[in-house]
mmCIF file of all heavy atoms in Angstrom:
data_model
loop_
_atom_site.group_PDB
_atom_site.id
_atom_site.type_symbol
_atom_site.label_atom_id
_atom_site.label_comp_id
_atom_site.label_asym_id
_atom_site.label_seq_id
_atom_site.Cartn_x
_atom_site.Cartn_y
_atom_site.Cartn_z
ATOM 1 N N GLU A 128 111.543 12.351 40.611
ATOM 2 C CA GLU A 128 110.091 12.324 40.799
ATOM 3 C C GLU A 128 109.492 11.060 40.196
ATOM 4 O O GLU A 128 108.557 10.478 40.756
ATOM 5 C CB GLU A 128 109.457 13.568 40.182
ATOM 6 C CG GLU A 128 109.785 14.868 40.917
ATOM 7 C CD GLU A 128 108.962 16.027 40.400
ATOM 8 O OE1 GLU A 128 108.053 15.799 39.578
ATOM 9 O OE2 GLU A 128 109.234 17.168 40.821
ATOM 10 N N GLU A 129 110.025 10.618 39.043
ATOM 11 C CA GLU A 129 109.497 9.415 38.414
ATOM 12 C C GLU A 129 109.771 8.184 39.275
ATOM 13 O O GLU A 129 108.914 7.306 39.413
ATOM 14 C CB GLU A 129 110.123 9.239 37.030
ATOM 15 C CG GLU A 129 109.662 10.273 36.014
ATOM 16 C CD GLU A 129 110.483 10.253 34.745
ATOM 17 O OE1 GLU A 129 111.581 9.661 34.757
ATOM 18 O OE2 GLU A 129 110.042 10.833 33.735
ATOM 19 N N ALA A 130 110.968 8.122 39.879
ATOM 20 C CA ALA A 130 111.290 6.985 40.734
ATOM 21 C C ALA A 130 110.372 6.933 41.945
ATOM 22 O O ALA A 130 109.896 5.857 42.338
ATOM 23 C CB ALA A 130 112.753 7.071 41.190
ATOM 24 N N VAL A 131 110.090 8.092 42.523
ATOM 25 C CA VAL A 131 109.186 8.147 43.672
ATOM 26 C C VAL A 131 107.780 7.721 43.252
ATOM 27 O O VAL A 131 107.106 6.954 43.948
ATOM 28 C CB VAL A 131 109.167 9.558 44.274
ATOM 29 C CG1 VAL A 131 108.057 9.686 45.315
ATOM 30 C CG2 VAL A 131 110.515 9.882 44.912
ATOM 31 N N ALA A 132 107.326 8.210 42.091
ATOM 32 C CA ALA A 132 105.979 7.879 41.621
ATOM 33 C C ALA A 132 105.840 6.381 41.360
ATOM 34 O O ALA A 132 104.823 5.767 41.702
ATOM 35 C CB ALA A 132 105.658 8.669 40.350
ATOM 36 N N VAL A 133 106.867 5.764 40.753
ATOM 37 C CA VAL A 133 106.816 4.322 40.497
ATOM 38 C C VAL A 133 106.776 3.553 41.808
ATOM 39 O O VAL A 133 106.022 2.577 41.959
ATOM 40 C CB VAL A 133 108.025 3.888 39.644
ATOM 41 C CG1 VAL A 133 108.112 2.374 39.571
ATOM 42 C CG2 VAL A 133 107.913 4.467 38.245
ATOM 43 N N ALA A 134 107.594 3.985 42.779
ATOM 44 C CA ALA A 134 107.615 3.306 44.076
ATOM 45 C C ALA A 134 106.261 3.377 44.750
ATOM 46 O O ALA A 134 105.779 2.396 45.332
ATOM 47 C CB ALA A 134 108.687 3.916 44.973
ATOM 48 N N VAL A 135 105.610 4.544 44.692
ATOM 49 C CA VAL A 135 104.291 4.699 45.290
ATOM 50 C C VAL A 135 103.288 3.787 44.598
ATOM 51 O O VAL A 135 102.477 3.107 45.238
ATOM 52 C CB VAL A 135 103.820 6.166 45.205
ATOM 53 C CG1 VAL A 135 102.349 6.284 45.600
ATOM 54 C CG2 VAL A 135 104.669 7.051 46.108
ATOM 55 N N GLY A 136 103.341 3.742 43.252
ATOM 56 C CA GLY A 136 102.417 2.886 42.516
ATOM 57 C C GLY A 136 102.611 1.420 42.849
ATOM 58 O O GLY A 136 101.644 0.682 43.029
ATOM 59 N N LEU A 137 103.867 0.978 42.954
ATOM 60 C CA LEU A 137 104.132 -0.416 43.296
ATOM 61 C C LEU A 137 103.719 -0.723 44.726
ATOM 62 O O LEU A 137 103.210 -1.802 45.022
ATOM 63 C CB LEU A 137 105.624 -0.724 43.111
ATOM 64 C CG LEU A 137 106.119 -0.749 41.667
ATOM 65 C CD1 LEU A 137 107.635 -0.869 41.633
ATOM 66 C CD2 LEU A 137 105.475 -1.886 40.895
ATOM 67 N N ARG A 138 103.935 0.237 45.624
ATOM 68 C CA ARG A 138 103.586 0.007 47.029
ATOM 69 C C ARG A 138 102.077 -0.120 47.191
ATOM 70 O O ARG A 138 101.584 -1.006 47.883
ATOM 71 C CB ARG A 138 104.113 1.161 47.893
ATOM 72 C CG ARG A 138 103.809 1.002 49.368
ATOM 73 C CD ARG A 138 104.568 -0.181 49.943
ATOM 74 N NE ARG A 138 104.289 -0.348 51.357
ATOM 75 C CZ ARG A 138 103.304 -1.074 51.842
ATOM 76 N NH1 ARG A 138 102.496 -1.713 51.018
ATOM 77 N NH2 ARG A 138 103.119 -1.185 53.140
ATOM 78 N N THR A 139 101.314 0.769 46.544
ATOM 79 C CA THR A 139 99.862 0.691 46.650
ATOM 80 C C THR A 139 99.329 -0.490 45.845
ATOM 81 O O THR A 139 98.320 -1.085 46.204
ATOM 82 C CB THR A 139 99.202 1.986 46.151
ATOM 83 O OG1 THR A 139 99.652 2.277 44.819
ATOM 84 C CG2 THR A 139 99.574 3.156 47.051
ATOM 85 N N GLY A 140 100.016 -0.858 44.751
ATOM 86 C CA GLY A 140 99.599 -2.013 43.962
ATOM 87 C C GLY A 140 99.742 -3.308 44.711
ATOM 88 O O GLY A 140 99.080 -4.297 44.388
ATOM 89 N N ALA A 141 100.575 -3.300 45.756
ATOM 90 C CA ALA A 141 100.761 -4.526 46.524
ATOM 91 C C ALA A 141 99.508 -4.926 47.275
ATOM 92 O O ALA A 141 99.403 -6.045 47.763
ATOM 93 C CB ALA A 141 101.918 -4.347 47.512
ATOM 94 N N GLY A 142 98.540 -4.001 47.381
ATOM 95 C CA GLY A 142 97.303 -4.330 48.068
ATOM 96 C C GLY A 142 96.201 -4.795 47.149
ATOM 97 O O GLY A 142 95.091 -5.055 47.586
ATOM 98 N N VAL A 143 96.497 -4.911 45.856
ATOM 99 C CA VAL A 143 95.502 -5.339 44.877
ATOM 100 C C VAL A 143 95.546 -6.849 44.753
ATOM 101 O O VAL A 143 96.622 -7.432 44.575
ATOM 102 C CB VAL A 143 95.765 -4.676 43.511
ATOM 103 C CG1 VAL A 143 94.746 -5.147 42.493
ATOM 104 C CG2 VAL A 143 95.716 -3.159 43.649
ATOM 105 N N MET A 146 98.131 -9.156 42.712
ATOM 106 C CA MET A 146 99.305 -8.392 42.315
ATOM 107 C C MET A 146 100.317 -8.234 43.438
ATOM 108 O O MET A 146 101.341 -7.574 43.260
ATOM 109 C CB MET A 146 98.887 -7.001 41.819
ATOM 110 C CG MET A 146 98.072 -6.999 40.561
ATOM 111 S SD MET A 146 97.661 -5.330 40.003
ATOM 112 C CE MET A 146 99.278 -4.613 39.768
ATOM 113 N N SER A 149 103.886 -9.893 42.518
ATOM 114 C CA SER A 149 104.548 -9.260 41.379
ATOM 115 C C SER A 149 104.937 -7.818 41.705
ATOM 116 O O SER A 149 105.999 -7.342 41.289
ATOM 117 C CB SER A 149 103.643 -9.303 40.139
ATOM 118 O OG SER A 149 102.402 -8.673 40.401
ATOM 119 N N SER A 150 104.104 -7.094 42.444
ATOM 120 C CA SER A 150 104.436 -5.727 42.832
ATOM 121 C C SER A 150 105.650 -5.705 43.754
ATOM 122 O O SER A 150 106.536 -4.861 43.616
ATOM 123 C CB SER A 150 103.240 -5.075 43.538
ATOM 124 O OG SER A 150 102.144 -4.944 42.668
ATOM 125 N N ALA A 151 105.704 -6.657 44.682
ATOM 126 C CA ALA A 151 106.846 -6.725 45.597
ATOM 127 C C ALA A 151 108.134 -7.041 44.847
ATOM 128 O O ALA A 151 109.193 -6.473 45.129
ATOM 129 C CB ALA A 151 106.580 -7.772 46.675
ATOM 130 N N ALA A 153 108.795 -6.364 41.651
ATOM 131 C CA ALA A 153 109.167 -5.204 40.845
ATOM 132 C C ALA A 153 109.783 -4.115 41.715
ATOM 133 O O ALA A 153 110.762 -3.472 41.323
ATOM 134 C CB ALA A 153 107.933 -4.667 40.110
ATOM 135 N N LEU A 154 109.221 -3.916 42.908
ATOM 136 C CA LEU A 154 109.761 -2.903 43.816
ATOM 137 C C LEU A 154 111.167 -3.287 44.264
ATOM 138 O O LEU A 154 112.060 -2.436 44.343
ATOM 139 C CB LEU A 154 108.841 -2.742 45.027
ATOM 140 C CG LEU A 154 109.228 -1.642 46.026
ATOM 141 C CD1 LEU A 154 109.302 -0.297 45.333
ATOM 142 C CD2 LEU A 154 108.240 -1.604 47.180
ATOM 143 N N LEU A 157 113.550 -2.540 41.446
ATOM 144 C CA LEU A 157 113.758 -1.099 41.323
ATOM 145 C C LEU A 157 114.747 -0.608 42.376
ATOM 146 O O LEU A 157 115.654 0.175 42.080
ATOM 147 C CB LEU A 157 112.421 -0.364 41.467
ATOM 148 C CG LEU A 157 112.479 1.164 41.488
ATOM 149 C CD1 LEU A 157 113.015 1.691 40.159
ATOM 150 C CD2 LEU A 157 111.101 1.753 41.770
ATOM 151 N N VAL A 169 112.774 5.898 48.335
ATOM 152 C CA VAL A 169 111.832 4.825 48.027
ATOM 153 C C VAL A 169 111.587 3.951 49.256
ATOM 154 O O VAL A 169 110.453 3.574 49.560
ATOM 155 C CB VAL A 169 112.350 3.981 46.849
ATOM 156 C CG1 VAL A 169 111.508 2.724 46.669
ATOM 157 C CG2 VAL A 169 112.334 4.806 45.570
ATOM 158 N N ILE A 172 109.219 5.634 51.673
ATOM 159 C CA ILE A 172 107.815 5.505 51.270
ATOM 160 C C ILE A 172 107.314 4.086 51.541
ATOM 161 O O ILE A 172 106.215 3.878 52.058
ATOM 162 C CB ILE A 172 107.657 5.862 49.778
ATOM 163 C CG1 ILE A 172 107.966 7.347 49.562
ATOM 164 C CG2 ILE A 172 106.252 5.534 49.287
ATOM 165 C CD1 ILE A 172 108.013 7.749 48.115
ATOM 166 N N HIS A 173 108.147 3.108 51.206
ATOM 167 C CA HIS A 173 107.759 1.703 51.372
ATOM 168 C C HIS A 173 107.439 1.376 52.832
ATOM 169 O O HIS A 173 106.498 0.628 53.125
ATOM 170 C CB HIS A 173 108.886 0.808 50.866
ATOM 171 C CG HIS A 173 108.617 -0.650 51.022
ATOM 172 N ND1 HIS A 173 107.759 -1.344 50.199
ATOM 173 C CD2 HIS A 173 109.069 -1.549 51.934
ATOM 174 C CE1 HIS A 173 107.712 -2.606 50.579
ATOM 175 N NE2 HIS A 173 108.490 -2.765 51.634
ATOM 176 N N LEU A 176 104.140 3.880 54.362
ATOM 177 C CA LEU A 176 102.863 4.006 53.657
ATOM 178 C C LEU A 176 101.940 2.845 53.978
ATOM 179 O O LEU A 176 102.341 1.689 53.989
ATOM 180 C CB LEU A 176 103.109 4.064 52.141
ATOM 181 C CG LEU A 176 101.866 3.994 51.239
ATOM 182 C CD1 LEU A 176 100.984 5.207 51.458
ATOM 183 C CD2 LEU A 176 102.279 3.899 49.785
ATOM 184 N N LYS A 178 97.956 1.435 52.833
ATOM 185 C CA LYS A 178 96.903 1.608 51.838
ATOM 186 C C LYS A 178 95.568 1.185 52.423
ATOM 187 O O LYS A 178 95.432 0.079 52.936
ATOM 188 C CB LYS A 178 97.203 0.790 50.585
ATOM 189 C CG LYS A 178 96.197 1.014 49.448
ATOM 190 C CD LYS A 178 96.629 0.238 48.212
ATOM 191 C CE LYS A 178 95.678 0.520 47.050
ATOM 192 N NZ LYS A 178 94.322 0.006 47.312
ATOM 193 N N PRO A 194 104.648 14.346 44.268
ATOM 194 C CA PRO A 194 105.445 13.222 44.775
ATOM 195 C C PRO A 194 106.613 13.663 45.646
ATOM 196 O O PRO A 194 107.052 12.920 46.523
ATOM 197 C CB PRO A 194 105.930 12.520 43.502
ATOM 198 C CG PRO A 194 105.769 13.516 42.403
ATOM 199 C CD PRO A 194 104.613 14.373 42.793
ATOM 200 N N VAL A 197 105.239 13.871 49.119
ATOM 201 C CA VAL A 197 105.103 12.533 49.693
ATOM 202 C C VAL A 197 106.463 12.014 50.146
ATOM 203 O O VAL A 197 106.612 11.471 51.249
ATOM 204 C CB VAL A 197 104.472 11.568 48.668
ATOM 205 C CG1 VAL A 197 104.475 10.139 49.207
ATOM 206 C CG2 VAL A 197 103.049 11.999 48.341
ATOM 207 N N SER A 234 97.140 5.951 52.005
ATOM 208 C CA SER A 234 96.390 6.206 50.786
ATOM 209 C C SER A 234 95.037 5.529 50.913
ATOM 210 O O SER A 234 94.964 4.309 51.085
ATOM 211 C CB SER A 234 97.163 5.648 49.579
ATOM 212 O OG SER A 234 96.364 5.671 48.425
ATOM 213 N N TRP A 239 95.398 11.114 50.043
ATOM 214 C CA TRP A 239 96.560 10.836 50.877
ATOM 215 C C TRP A 239 96.385 11.517 52.228
ATOM 216 O O TRP A 239 95.978 12.682 52.297
ATOM 217 C CB TRP A 239 97.831 11.363 50.207
ATOM 218 C CG TRP A 239 98.279 10.541 49.052
ATOM 219 C CD1 TRP A 239 97.827 10.617 47.760
ATOM 220 C CD2 TRP A 239 99.248 9.501 49.071
ATOM 221 N NE1 TRP A 239 98.460 9.689 46.982
ATOM 222 C CE2 TRP A 239 99.346 8.995 47.756
ATOM 223 C CE3 TRP A 239 100.051 8.948 50.063
ATOM 224 C CZ2 TRP A 239 100.216 7.968 47.417
ATOM 225 C CZ3 TRP A 239 100.920 7.927 49.723
ATOM 226 C CH2 TRP A 239 100.995 7.452 48.418
#
Side-chain angles (χ1 to χ4, degrees):
E128 291 189 7
E129 290 169 344
V131 170
V133 170
V135 170
L137 290 172
R138 181 67 180 89
T139 54
V143 179
M146 295 182 59
S149 57
S150 296
L154 184 58
L157 175 63
V169 170
I172 294 172
H173 178 76
L176 172 64
K178 185 176 183 294
V197 174
S234 170
W239 286 83

